Each structure stands twice: as C-alpha cells, then as structure tokens.
Amino acid sequence: MSSKLTRDFTKGNIAKQLLWFTLPFMASNALQVLYSTIDMIIVGQYVGTDGLSAVAQSSQLINFAAMVCLGFSNAGQVLISQAIGSGKREKLSGIIGTLFGILMVIALIFTGVFIVFKDVILTAINMPKESYNMGIDYLVICGGGMVFTAGYNMVSAVLRGMGDSKRPLLFIVIASVVNLVLDYIFTGLMGFGVAGAAWATIIGQAVSFIFSVYYLYKNKQDFGFNFKKESFKINKNYSKMIINLGTPMAIQSGFINVSMLFVNSLINSVGVVASATFGVGVRIDDIVNKICMGIQYAAIPMISQNIGAGRGDRAKKVVHWAWIYSGALTVFFIVLYIFFGGWLFKIFSDDPLVHEMSGTFISAILWMFPAFAVMRGSGAFIQGIGHSKLSMVLALLDGVFLRIGLSFLFGIVFEWGFFGFVLGYALAPYGFAIPSMIYFLSGKWKQRQTLAERL
C-alpha cells in the first residue's frame, strides 16, 4: 500500500535525501524554540529581570514534561519507520492509536503534578523570591495545556516516521504566529505580564494541534489511521514496545532537564542576575542545538527504515553524512557565538549586569558543541535501531551522573562558581557522545534483532 505521506529512504542518494529532509526540521525546531524565546524577549522588555527569571525557570519545568512526551513520541516514530521499511504498513493504525493513548495519559499526569505541587516544585528549585509568584502563573497555565504539547509531539513524530518533514513545519509556523501576536497583545498591550506570555504559548499550541489533527483526519486514508473509536484502543504488544523503547528516550530527554533544574538551583543561589543570565544563555543555546537537532530528527527515520528493510549499509551512510552536516554547522555556530554572543544576550535583556555575566556563560558553554555534533549521528543511530538498554545507560550517564556531578564538582568543590556550574553542564554530553560513537564504529549492532521482526 503506497501513500503520498510516505517517503522511501531505502533507495536513492543519501546525502541529498538527508539534506532536504533535514532543512524543514531545522526550521521547525527553530520555530519551536522561538515559542518560548518570544516569551522571554517580550517578558524581558515589558516585565524586567524578575519576570525573565520566572519564565526561564518555569519553562524548564514545562520543557521537562515536553521532553518526556517527546521521548515516547520518538519511540512511536521508530516503530512506524521500521514498519514502513519492512513493508508492514497494516501495523500503522495499531501503533498510532497506542501512541496517542499513552501520550495523553502522560500529559494528564504532568498537568496534575504541576497544578497540585506547584509550590513544592518552585521551592525545590530555589526560585528567586522576586520571581516566585510569576513563576507560579507560568507553571500552572502552561502545565494545564500539556495535552496540546503532547498531541503536537505525537502528530509530528508520526509524520516524521513516515518521512514527512514539511507538515510539522507548517503546524509550528501556525503556533509561532499565534504566539507572537498574542504575546504582544497580552503581555505588552494589556499588561498581563508573565501570565499573558503563558496564555499566548498555550493558545498557540492548541491552535497548532487542532490544525494538525484536522489535516490528518482529511488525509486519514494515506495516514493509515481511520479515527474510529476502536482505533484508539491501546494494543498490548505495541504499548510494551513503545514503553520499553520510549522510557530510555524519555529518561535521556527528561533527565537532561532534571539535571538542568539542579544546575538552575545552584545558580539561583547566586542571585537573580545569574539566574536570568543562565536562563537567557540556555535559551540561545537551545536555539542553536535545536537547529542542529534537525539533522538527528531526519536521520532517525532514515536509519529506521533502512534497518527495517535490512539495509544496514545505507543506515551507516546516513550516520556518516549526519556527522558531516552537523560538524559543519558546529563550526559555524562556534564562530557565531564567539563574535556575536554578547549581542545575542542584549536581544533578551537590557540589564547591564546580565550583559556583563554573558561572557562567562559563553566561555563555558562552547565546550558542549563538539559533543552534540557527534550525537547527531551516533545518537540518531542508537535511537533508530531501537537499542533501548544502551540508550538508558547513556542517558543516565549524561543526564544524571555527569551533568549533576560535574556541575557540583566545578562549581562547589573547585569553587569556580557560575563558570563551573555552566562548564559542568556543558561537558556532560560527552558521556553520551563518546560511547555511542564507539558502539556504532564497533559494528556490534549488526547482531541485534530489529524491531520490525517483532511487530
């Protein structure tokens, strides 16, 4: 069964396929980061440093929940790609319905946690007292809309798994435009402050999700999902596979955010200026990393399809080209950071103290870039073949032991302060990058059973 929504990556020129498949993901990821970035820019201009700190810290909590949802979405994406690569399109309906059910349950759990335990959470991360009430507003409003965040991630993952990178870009453009307009109205013109930025974000996500579901419903025959009530029933076999594969991915994504909250807690103890500087710096860094992550998003379904089709040789070439493209982008962004990093901070804040501290952040965070360049290829490969146990180990090494351990070591034990906290955060990804590269180059993955064989 063919579909206009599906692209075949098991044949053709890999370099060209990866490049053209990557570009919409890069734009989509950049716009997705723009979502929260717009909040911070407008809040920084209209509310000030206290509001900037509130959005920076609370948005990390929301990002944690979103990244957990993304981990399970990516698991579904891998199953979809391998099903297509192995010629088992009849399995798509069950996989999609199961993925939807799992993500909605996760989203509702996070909503309940954020609303019920908001005070406990913000106290635990040492939210500055000047920003506390505004942080509560942002956390409750955005946390209440987690179903829209999870829903968008689910739809985008399904489309990525089918080889479609253009529609996710369209949907995030819709969300970004709505968010931008409402941000200026709610926060700037009407003076709602941080709460206005939160409402703008959630409404933008809701509109995007509604448009994406409508598009898929209109193309349900090609989509492989009929939207009937029985299609949403969770399949035991698929749920087990999604949970087994998605849990390590969620841990990898989620615990990076948990470790960031730990680093935030250390930095918050330094003061509100350090908190705002780190928040702005991480947001800028997030834009850079998410753009580069477009390569990984594109590589995963390409690898999965070829593994499902028994084309390990082509899967290896996808990784090689991912390294080439990500390496070139890494060099570009390092140069951009060195020469224009201070100017980028001024976009977010007019506080001279934040500008002064930005140089310290930049000098530390640049050490992260080479590790991420390696992960775009080998990290995509581990996810694409569905090696959940290895993903779990590397996720814990990166997201827990190294990120928290190194930040504490450099910042507290060595007494390097703000620079040490950021440096520890920056060096942690090598705990994933180096072992994943060694595993890929060793060729041991050739002995593994594919997920497609278990569908």
Side-chain angles (χ1 to χ4, degrees), residues 11-18 302 314 321:
K11 55 186 177 183
N13 186 295
I14 292 175
K16 291 182 179 179
Q17 286 177 336
L18 180 60
M302 292 182 66
R314 285 182 60 85
W321 279 105

Side-chain angles (χ1 to χ4, degrees), residues 22-178:
T22 292
L23 292 177
F25 283 134
M26 287 184 175
S28 179
N29 288 348
L31 286 171
Q32 198 162 16
V33 176
L34 189 62
Y35 234 81
S36 52
T37 300
I38 289 173
D39 291 341
M40 292 188 67
I41 292 175
I42 295 178
V43 168
Q45 296 300 319
Y46 287 99
V47 183
T49 301
D50 294 347
L52 196 61
S53 176
V55 174
Q57 308 309 312
S58 295
S59 65
Q60 289 301 325
L61 295 165
I62 299 299
N63 287 343
F64 167 73
M67 293 304 285
V68 170
C69 292
L70 181 62
F72 287 98
S73 295
N74 286 342
Q77 171 190 316
V78 170
L79 292 183
I80 289 168
S81 294
Q82 291 209 16
I84 292 173
S86 61
K88 298 180 178 179
R89 282 189 57 88
E90 72 279 1
K91 306 290 186 179
L92 292 182
S93 181
I95 296 173
I96 294 169
T98 301
L99 179 62
F100 181 85
I102 291 174
L103 285 176
M104 288 301 102
V105 170
I106 294 173
L108 290 173
I109 290 174
F110 273 117
T111 294
V113 169
F114 287 146
I115 293 175
V116 175
F117 299 104
K118 55 185 181 297
D119 291 298
V120 175
I121 295 171
L122 292 190
T123 300
I125 66 170
N126 289 330
M127 175 71 78
K129 62 180 181 180
E130 303 93 333
S131 308
Y132 190 89
N133 289 333
M134 291 182 285
I136 289 287
D137 289 340
Y138 197 90
L139 182 62
V140 170
I141 295 169
C142 289
M146 281 306 303
V147 290
F148 302 119
T149 302
Y152 169 78
N153 282 333
M154 187 274 295
V155 174
S156 295
V158 170
L159 290 171
R160 287 198 303 268
M162 292 182 169
D164 186 349
S165 59
K166 294 180 180 179
R167 273 77 180 189
L169 173 58
L170 172 62
F171 301 143
I172 198 62
V173 166
I174 293 171
S176 298
V177 170
V178 173

Side-chain angles (χ1 to χ4, degrees), residues 247-263:
T247 299
M249 291 184 179
I251 287 176
Q252 178 185 350
S253 301
F255 271 96
I256 287 175
N257 281 84
V258 168
S259 62
M260 184 180 289
L261 292 174
F262 178 85
V263 177

Side-chain angles (χ1 to χ4, degrees), residues 32 35-36 40 71 167 182 198 227 237 240 259 272 288 311-312 341 348 363-364 369 375 380 383 386 392 426 435:
Q32 198 162 16
Y35 234 81
S36 52
M40 292 188 67
R167 273 77 180 189
L182 294 182
F227 285 88
N237 181 46
K240 182 178 179 181
S259 62
V272 70
V288 172
R311 298 295 309 274
F348 290 84
S363 63
F369 283 39
M375 290 171 63
Q383 289 187 325
M392 175 79 79

Side-chain angles (χ1 to χ4, degrees), residues 6 54 109 112 179 196 258 268 348 362:
T6 305
I109 290 174
N179 186 40
V258 168
N268 287 343
F348 290 84
I362 293 171

Side-chain angles (χ1 to χ4, degrees), residues 205-428:
Q205 289 180 341
V207 171
S208 176
F209 176 58
I210 291 170
F211 266 91
S212 65
V213 171
Y214 176 75
Y215 171 80
L216 295 179
Y217 181 78
K218 295 292 289 185
N219 295 273
K220 56 187 177 183
Q221 185 173 356
D222 293 310
F223 181 43
F225 188 73
N226 58 21
F227 285 88
K228 293 181 179 180
K229 184 178 180 180
E230 57 270 20
S231 299
F232 290 94
K233 183 179 179 180
I234 295 180
N235 179 282
K236 183 177 180 180
N237 181 46
Y238 299 149
S239 63
K240 182 178 179 181
M241 295 177 73
I242 290 173
I243 291 172
N244 286 343
L245 183 58
T247 299
M249 291 184 179
I251 287 176
Q252 178 185 350
S253 301
F255 271 96
I256 287 175
N257 281 84
V258 168
S259 62
M260 184 180 289
L261 292 174
F262 178 85
V263 177
N264 276 335
S265 179
L266 294 175
I267 292 173
N268 287 343
S269 65
V270 179
V272 70
V273 174
S275 173
T277 303
F278 186 71
V280 171
V282 168
R283 183 64 58 216
I284 296 171
D285 184 59
D286 199 27
I287 295 172
V288 172
N289 287 329
K290 286 290 175 62
I291 291 174
C292 296
M293 194 178 288
I295 298 172
Q296 187 168 340
Y297 280 175
I300 291 173
M302 292 182 66
I303 291 168
S304 295
Q305 273 197 28
N306 282 289
I307 290 295
R311 298 295 309 274
D313 56 327
R314 285 182 60 85
K316 287 175 60 178
K317 291 180 180 178
V318 173
V319 176
H320 295 155
W321 279 105
W323 278 341
I324 292 172
Y325 291 146
S326 59
L329 274 177
T330 296
V331 172
F332 170 78
F333 281 120
I334 287 177
V335 172
L336 182 67
Y337 242 121
I338 291 174
F339 289 100
F340 300 101
W343 177 81
L344 292 174
F345 272 79
K346 292 179 181 179
I347 296 177
F348 290 84
S349 175
D350 56 6
D351 190 336
L353 295 178
V354 171
H355 302 164
E356 182 179 346
M357 191 173 282
S358 65
T360 303
F361 178 90
I362 293 171
S363 63
I365 203 67
L366 286 176
W367 290 96
M368 179 186 286
F369 283 39
F372 275 134
V374 173
M375 290 171 63
R376 301 305 169 223
S378 54
F381 185 80
I382 290 175
Q383 289 187 325
I385 65 175
H387 198 332
S388 58
K389 292 183 179 179
L390 181 58
S391 292
M392 175 79 79
V393 172
L394 298 185
L396 291 172
L397 182 62
D398 172 5
V400 180
F401 299 112
L402 289 182
R403 201 169 297 259
I404 294 176
L406 292 178
S407 294
F408 185 84
L409 175 66
F410 295 147
I412 303 297
V413 179
F414 289 2
E415 298 183 347
W416 291 354
F418 182 73
F419 174 80
F421 297 144
V422 180
L423 181 63
Y425 172 78
L427 292 179

